[in-house]
Amino acid sequence: MKRSVNVAHCSCCSVALITAARCIPNLEDNDDVKAIYVGSVEDWSTRKATKIHARVFEDLIQRMPSLASLVLKEPLMTAVRDAHSPFLKCESIKLLSALYKHDGTNADELLSKKASSSTKECCSKVAETLQYALGDSSLQKPKHRDEVLIATKHFVNYLQAQEEGILTDAEIRAFQETLKTVKRNCKSTGMKQMCKAVYDKISVLARREIAEDPTPKRSKDSKAPKSSKKQKKSKK
């Protein structure tokens, strides 16, 4: 893929890689396959002379969603922050949101148990990444901000479809504050309406309860025992 001459050639290499990967036992636990895709995302997002195209990752998401969920989330979140151009940042955001896109069907049925669990566990990091993108100064043009808001909407739809709360109350409030700021800075009526729609959806999300620390805490009123080493006062 790193030597492909055009998009069509790169796509053929991508499909060949997926076909070969299907033959690997315990594929989801294979570190070599993961390394190939992690390295490909890094090459695609950071090298200006890269021969890799986004089609490689789109193919994986469409053909092997469980593997895509396990190997692409982390490198794509890095690419949202570190890609060398606003265009590639937006492409990274679109690919990341595709892993969470919920179209009204039970998307979890398409994922393995491991992939489904990983997708939920990464939600806090994805929320932070989308908040970063909403405030990124390089993504303030309307076409870029639209992409980020659309990706955010897909992510929130995924959260809404879950039976239990995924984000904590603090995380949800931070998300809402970011959307408020974006709405204030928007000049487009359409963008303001989209911000409000996403904000309203976030407002009704179930909250994840934070487990309390089972370690018993010592009361402030309790006094530390006196040291037995303390010398007694000598009698006069």
Side-chain angles (χ1 to χ4, degrees):
M1 293 185 294
K2 292 184 177 180
R3 297 182 180 180
S4 58
V5 295
N6 52 42
V7 177
H9 185 199
C10 187
S11 183
C12 287
C13 293
S14 170
V15 174
L17 175 60
I18 290 172
T19 303
R22 289 184 188 277
C23 301
I24 299 174
N26 301 318
L27 177 59
E28 293 182 0
D29 298 319
N30 191 289
D31 291 335
D32 292 333
V33 173
K34 181 177 180 179
I36 289 172
Y37 281 102
V38 170
S40 296
V41 173
E42 182 179 1
D43 187 287
W44 166 74
S45 63
T46 60
R47 287 186 65 243
K48 292 184 178 181
T50 185
K51 300 293 184 180
I52 296 175
H53 299 270
R55 187 66 200 175
V56 172
F57 315 117
E58 292 170 357
D59 284 342
L60 186 65
I61 292 170
Q62 292 170 4
R63 296 169 185 267
M64 300 186 75
S66 290
L67 182 62
S69 180
L70 290 168
V71 304
L72 292 182
K73 286 195 298 293
E74 293 288 348
L76 284 174
M77 284 190 281
T78 300
V80 171
R81 297 173 184 268
D82 299 339
H84 67 79
S85 71
F87 172 76
L88 287 175
K89 286 183 178 182
C90 282
E91 288 293 293
S92 301
I93 291 167
K94 286 166 65 177
L95 290 166
L96 183 62
S97 73
L99 297 171
Y100 285 91
K101 191 171 182 180
H102 186 83
D103 59 1
T105 61
N106 191 355
D108 282 348
E109 290 182 356
L110 302 175
L111 300 180
S112 66
K113 186 176 180 179
K114 183 177 180 179
S116 179
S117 176
S118 172
T119 299
K120 291 178 181 178
E121 289 172 2
C122 275
C123 282
S124 292
K125 290 183 179 179
V126 174
E128 289 179 7
T129 301
L130 289 172
Q131 288 177 66
Y132 170 84
L134 287 167
D136 189 343
S137 59
S138 68
L139 299 177
Q140 296 308 303
K141 288 185 177 180
K143 62 180 181 180
H144 296 149
R145 194 177 286 173
D146 272 350
E147 291 289 357
V148 182
L149 284 171
I150 290 170
T152 302
K153 183 175 73 172
H154 290 325
F155 177 62
V156 172
N157 286 344
Y158 168 84
L159 296 176
Q160 257 190 333
Q162 306 309 305
E163 293 180 359
E164 73 279 10
I166 303 295
L167 301 181
T168 65
D169 184 63
E171 289 169 336
I172 289 175
R173 283 189 279 107
F175 218 152
Q176 289 176 311
E177 287 302 315
T178 300
L179 284 166
K180 277 184 181 179
T181 302
V182 173
K183 183 181 177 183
R184 281 197 302 268
N185 296 334
C186 282
K187 295 181 180 178
S188 165
T189 303
M191 276 191 193
K192 287 181 180 291
Q193 290 175 344
M194 187 179 293
C195 284
K196 185 179 184 304
V198 176
Y199 181 96
D200 291 343
K201 282 191 172 187
I202 292 175
S203 300
V204 297
L205 289 177
R207 270 65 168 168
R208 173 169 60 84
E209 296 294 333
I210 301 176
E212 294 184 2
D213 187 357
T215 306
K217 297 181 180 179
R218 191 170 63 184
S219 172
K220 292 181 180 179
D221 297 331
S222 62
K223 297 180 180 179
K226 295 181 179 179
S227 174
S228 60
K229 295 182 180 179
K230 188 175 180 181
Q231 296 179 350
K232 296 181 178 179
K233 293 183 179 180
S234 58
K235 296 182 179 179
K236 290 183 179 180

